[in-house]
Amino acid sequence: GIQVEQSPPDLILQEGANSTLRCNFSDSVNNLQWFHQNPWGQLINLFYIPSGTKQNGRLSATTVATERYSLLYISSSQTTDSGVYFCAVNSGGSNYKLTFGKGTLLTVNP
Amino acid sequence: NAGVTQTPKFQVLKTGQSMTLQCAQDMNHNSMYWYRQDPGMGLRLIYYSASEGTTDKGEVPNGYNVSRLNKREFSLRLESAAPSQTSVYFCASPPGSFATGELFFGEGSRLTVL
């Protein structure tokens, strides 16, 4: 099956810093999503981005499908950005049989 | 509008006991999914239901059964719980197309098997 690798596994920032999270995948995809899991365990969808670039406030994401990677940018980080960021992909079929990466644990210190 | 609701939120079982995790969505979505999350891991798909009356295995179905009771409800049953099934379980429901891409998750059910 498709493999998903995320880097870095852990990241510690000071409030106000910028960061880039990376997701590499081993096959072509028709669905790629970024999720944030907050410290209370809640999973929130950030972006649906199988290709191209999207922005939502301080967050933006870019997927280069031909090179099989996606990047999540967090600018002017805040303590509420802390948590685990997951990349998830689907490589076939019209369903949400997503394969998740292991995530990047982000800690933003005040 | 509650979205996706899971019960119970916490459960402790002894090895060999059975239990059912319940999931309900009020968004009139066709498909529903059960994932499990283990420490340091992403989520792994256990079973899914593309529509009412259908269910299919995901990546890690062994030890589980599911029932799609109606369009709203999708339950996950552990017939004989094992310590390896200690995990956080998430139910999810996506809209019918990828147009919005948003996958709605429940709050999770934390299960410990002793």
Side-chain angles (χ1 to χ4, degrees), chain A residues 8-85:
Chain A
D10 302 277
L11 185 59
I12 300 175
L13 301 174
Q14 287 300 119
E15 201 167 25
N18 301 329
S19 63
T20 301
L21 282 58
R22 187 177 180 102
C23 172
N24 292 332
F25 42 95
S26 62
D27 203 349
S28 59
V29 298
N30 56 17
N31 184 355
L32 187 147
Q33 299 189 41
W34 283 96
F35 295 90
H36 175 222
Q37 187 170 40
N38 65 25
W40 296 270
Q42 188 179 12
L43 280 159
I44 304 296
N45 181 283
L46 298 176
F47 293 104
Y48 162 68
I49 187 165
S51 62
T53 298
K54 290 186 177 180
Q55 181 158 5
N56 184 2
R58 297 181 296 103
L59 274 60
S60 64
T62 295
T63 297
V64 183
T66 54
E67 297 188 18
R68 299 182 182 169
Y69 72 88
S70 183
L71 302 174
L72 177 68
Y73 305 96
I74 304 174
S75 64
S76 304
S77 58
Q78 301 176 358
T79 55
T80 52
D81 294 330
S82 295
V84 183
Y85 289 80

Side-chain angles (χ1 to χ4, degrees), chain B residues 26-83:
Chain B
D26 60 5
M27 299 171 286
N28 202 35
H29 292 167
N30 287 323
S31 55
M32 299 181 72
Y33 293 74
W34 276 106
Y35 285 88
R36 61 177 286 175
Q37 182 179 24
D38 300 303
M41 302 283 289
L43 281 70
R44 292 181 292 170
L45 182 64
I46 305 171
Y47 270 95
Y48 68 100
S49 170
S51 61
E52 184 179 353
T54 68
T55 61
D56 284 288
K57 295 179 180 179
E59 181 184 355
V60 288
N62 291 343
Y64 304 95
N65 288 303
V66 291
S67 296
R68 183 73 183 269
L69 304 171
N70 48 55
K71 193 171 186 178
R72 289 189 66 248
E73 299 172 295
F74 188 37
S75 63
L76 179 71
R77 183 163 179 83
L78 288 68
E79 292 291 350
S80 179

Side-chain angles (χ1 to χ4, degrees), chain B residues 11-20 78 81-82 111-114:
Chain B
Q11 183 73 48
V12 178
L13 292 177
K14 295 181 179 178
T15 298
Q17 288 185 318
S18 62
M19 77 157 298
T20 299
L78 288 68
L111 174 65
T112 300
V113 184
L114 303 176

